Amino acid sequence: MPEDEEITWPKHRYKLKPEDRQRAHDWLRKKYDGGASIRSIAREIKRSYGFVHMTLSDAGVTLRPRGGRPANPRETRP
């Protein structure tokens, strides 16, 4: 059984149940630390970007800077 099936993700405008909160934090942290974006996680669990962002912040996760990976530095032009 996939890990996320154990978590009852609340519908829009509802909060996580206290008994699901720690499992949700752990699951989201694992996905995010594994490289998934906030937007891809939101799509997967059918919740908003704001919900995922807030839940990761509540879990104490250090969020990556915006914009993805930095580009390779270009060589200076003559």
Side-chain angles (χ1 to χ4, degrees):
M1 169 166 42
E3 296 169 339
D4 61 327
E5 283 189 300
E6 296 176 21
I7 300 169
T8 304
W9 295 106
K11 293 184 180 182
H12 180 69
R13 296 187 186 255
Y14 290 90
K15 294 182 179 181
L16 282 165
K17 293 179 182 177
E19 60 270 17
D20 292 331
R21 187 174 309 278
Q22 187 59 50
R23 282 197 318 253
H25 286 179
D26 294 342
W27 187 85
L28 288 170
R29 173 180 278 131
K30 183 177 177 184
K31 290 290 251 186
Y32 189 73
D33 288 346
S37 69
I38 293 176
R39 290 192 193 287
S40 68
I41 295 170
R43 266 192 309 266
E44 183 175 340
I45 65 172
K46 297 177 177 67
R47 288 302 307 255
S48 70
Y49 174 96
F51 173 84
V52 175
H53 186 279
M54 179 187 65
T55 306
L56 285 168
S57 294
D58 289 346
V61 175
T62 301
L63 300 176
R64 296 186 292 264
R66 290 179 54 173
R69 303 173 117 192
N72 290 334
R74 294 182 181 188
E75 294 180 16
T76 58
R77 294 183 179 172

